[in-house]
Amino acid sequence: MISAVNLTEGGPLSILQDAVTSFAANFISEYRLLLLINNKKLLRGICENDDLKIMEYSYPKRSWFLRIWFEYVHCYFISKKIKAYLWFALHDITPNVKSNNKAVYCHNPAPFYQLSLRDAWIEKSLIFFNFFYSLFYHINIRSNKYVVVQQQWIRYEFEKRYKIKNTVVSYPDVQISETIKADHVAGSKFVFFYPALPRVFKNFETVLDACKILEKLDNDFEMILTFDGSENKYAAKLVKKYKHLASVKFIGAKKREDIIHLYQKSSCLVFASKLETWGLPITEMKLLNKPIIVAKCKYAYETAGDYEKACFFEPMNALQLSELMKKALTGDLEFNSSHFFPPSQPFTKTWKDLFSLILSDTKNN
């Protein structure tokens, strides 16, 4: 059983899609899989059969009350009926279910964000996520055989805060087709790309202020951002404040396949987020062997790993970022070492390895 009713967009949706694709490719001949998701359309290319069934539950996304009801009440009755020998929750919260083997995948970094008064004022929902997600993580967490996280730093945070020792670091397993990898001639302008949902910790102001500075020196570039102001009040404020910048293109949310093609079009990734459990665009741009400019944060060094085309900037320093962007434009960008150290065991690099670990262990019980 994989439950993931809350994963409908962005990086979290990619987690669901990659996990199911890997399971279907490597384990469906040995196991039967039941998916609890928001909408079948989110898993295009995945076909139902006798060994893979999909159940749709859209109502938990309507409110937090309904989400809590689903996780702690509805899932209990589903588990009594289905009697899954392994229940794998992909969206942070450990549900109240009857199963001898449970695992939870935790990828929301909100409880570990140092929330400022300014951040809280701009995006009031962060107060909720910051406090209550920490609480929801805690409920039932010790009932899991495995607590899966994406990086070593967040493993330390979980073990310290929740007093657990059964964490697994599992890196996101990102695949890009050979067709998309193929080189083609880019446009005449140098294109920077920052794909991210409009959340205050994504630090768009620093990126946009850097573009404002750089436009005074060189206007032969574009910065593509994947929101258009319609998403929330924060996005609307950003578009209103910076819409005069000729270099900035607010293109709105895009499907994953469109994002991959935008990586191909782009010359350089800028990733300014102040908090992530991974930072998927960094990994995806690495697969295309293109330069990345990323904020100096805990997650960034591990995600960049030993990549040879990465450089780092202070996350609130727009001037420093503009200088690095200028060097990227002229081909003078100097890359930095990420000072990367591999995680301790248990540690997996692919969904296949993670499923092998979890399934083999449950077989032995």
Side-chain angles (χ1 to χ4, degrees):
M1 175 78 73
I2 291 180
S3 58
V5 297
N6 208 49
L7 308 186
T8 59
E9 61 183 351
L13 176 58
S14 298
I15 289 171
L16 169 61
Q17 293 169 335
D18 292 341
V20 175
T21 299
S22 177
F23 193 97
N26 298 291
F27 300 98
I28 205 64
S29 62
E30 302 176 57
Y31 300 91
R32 286 183 294 173
L33 174 64
L34 178 62
L35 298 170
L36 309 183
I37 63 173
N38 184 276
N39 192 307
K40 292 181 181 181
K41 294 180 180 179
L42 298 172
L43 292 178
R44 293 176 180 174
I46 299 296
C47 299
E48 288 189 87
N49 54 52
D50 291 340
D51 296 317
L52 194 158
K53 296 293 184 182
I54 301 174
M55 298 174 66
E56 295 178 303
Y57 295 98
S58 60
Y59 80 84
K61 286 285 287 185
R62 297 175 193 165
S63 72
W64 267 101
F65 173 79
L66 293 175
R67 171 77 187 281
I68 293 169
W69 174 268
F70 177 81
E71 299 288 357
Y72 299 130
V73 180
H74 196 163
C75 280
Y76 175 78
F77 290 102
I78 293 174
S79 70
K80 288 190 68 176
K81 180 180 179 180
I82 301 299
K83 295 181 173 61
Y85 72 89
L86 171 64
W87 188 296
F88 191 12
L90 279 187
H91 44 27
D92 305 305
I93 293 175
T94 302
N96 177 34
V97 297
K98 292 183 70 66
S99 178
N100 290 333
N101 300 290
K102 295 193 292 184
V104 62
Y105 192 100
C106 299
H107 50 89
N108 190 315
F112 309 103
Y113 183 56
Q114 298 298 316
L115 187 65
S116 68
L117 290 175
R118 175 184 174 276
D119 292 339
W121 177 256
I122 293 174
E123 191 174 349
K124 294 178 177 59
S125 62
L126 269 180
I127 302 172
F128 176 89
F129 282 105
N130 194 260
F131 176 77
F132 285 101
Y133 241 97
S134 182
L135 174 62
F136 293 143
Y137 271 148
H138 191 275
I139 297 173
N140 296 334
I141 194 169
R142 294 186 184 181
S143 68
N144 291 290
K145 184 174 288 292
Y146 289 113
V147 176
V148 184
V149 297
Q150 293 182 322
Q151 290 194 338
Q152 184 72 14
W153 78 266
I154 203 166
R155 164 189 270 169
Y156 291 144
E157 295 291 343
F158 267 81
E159 291 180 348
K160 178 181 177 181
R161 182 174 297 193
Y162 303 116
K163 311 301 180 187
I164 57 175
K165 296 184 180 297
N166 57 336
T167 54
V168 179
V169 173
S170 184
Y171 285 176
D173 184 15
V174 182
Q175 301 293 328
I176 294 181
S177 72
E178 292 299 321
T179 301
I180 297 176
K181 282 186 179 180
D183 290 332
H184 72 272
V185 178
S188 58
K189 286 191 175 184
F190 194 99
V191 178
F192 295 101
F193 185 34
Y194 183 15
L197 298 174
R199 304 291 304 280
V200 66
F201 60 84
K202 296 294 185 177
N203 196 25
F204 286 107
E205 290 92 340
T206 297
V207 174
L208 290 163
D209 285 339
C211 290
K212 182 179 179 180
I213 295 169
L214 187 56
E215 273 195 9
K216 297 176 181 179
L217 305 173
D218 190 331
N219 61 5
D220 194 26
F221 74 95
E222 286 184 353
M223 170 63 73
I224 298 177
L225 301 176
T226 53
F227 63 93
D228 59 16
S230 63
E231 297 82 0
N232 52 41
K233 291 181 179 180
Y234 175 58
K237 288 180 180 179
L238 288 173
V239 172
K240 182 178 180 180
K241 181 177 179 180
Y242 294 99
K243 64 182 179 181
H244 66 284
L245 295 178
S247 62
V248 178
K249 308 300 178 185
F250 298 102
I251 65 172
K254 299 296 178 183
K255 297 178 181 178
R256 191 181 185 190
E257 53 267 32
D258 296 326
I259 294 294
I260 299 299
H261 284 291
L262 283 166
Y263 287 133
Q264 181 64 52
K265 174 185 176 182
S266 303
S267 311
C268 178
L269 176 76
V270 172
F271 200 78
S273 180
K274 292 184 283 187
L275 182 69
E276 301 286 330
T277 52
W278 184 256
L280 192 61
I282 298 172
T283 299
E284 291 172 327
M285 200 63 153
K286 283 166 57 179
L287 293 175
L288 295 175
N289 198 36
K290 293 189 177 183
I292 60 175
I293 303 174
V294 61
K296 286 182 180 178
C297 297
K298 289 180 180 179
Y299 74 87
Y301 291 110
E302 193 165 349
T303 309
D306 56 3
Y307 190 54
E308 296 179 351
K309 294 185 177 180
C311 64
F312 302 85
F313 69 97
E314 296 297 334
M316 302 303 291
N317 193 330
L319 178 59
Q320 183 187 24
L321 176 56
S322 71
E323 291 171 347
L324 291 175
M325 291 170 64
K326 176 62 177 178
K327 288 181 179 179
L329 279 169
T330 59
D332 299 319
L333 192 61
E334 297 178 0
F335 302 115
N336 315 125
S337 169
S338 71
H339 305 291
F340 164 71
F341 298 98
S344 55
Q345 295 295 330
F347 163 54
T348 65
K349 292 184 178 181
T350 67
W351 278 108
K352 181 180 179 181
D353 290 344
L354 177 61
F355 281 124
S356 294
L357 172 68
I358 295 175
L359 292 169
S360 63
D361 199 23
T362 56
K363 274 186 175 180
N364 295 328
N365 290 276

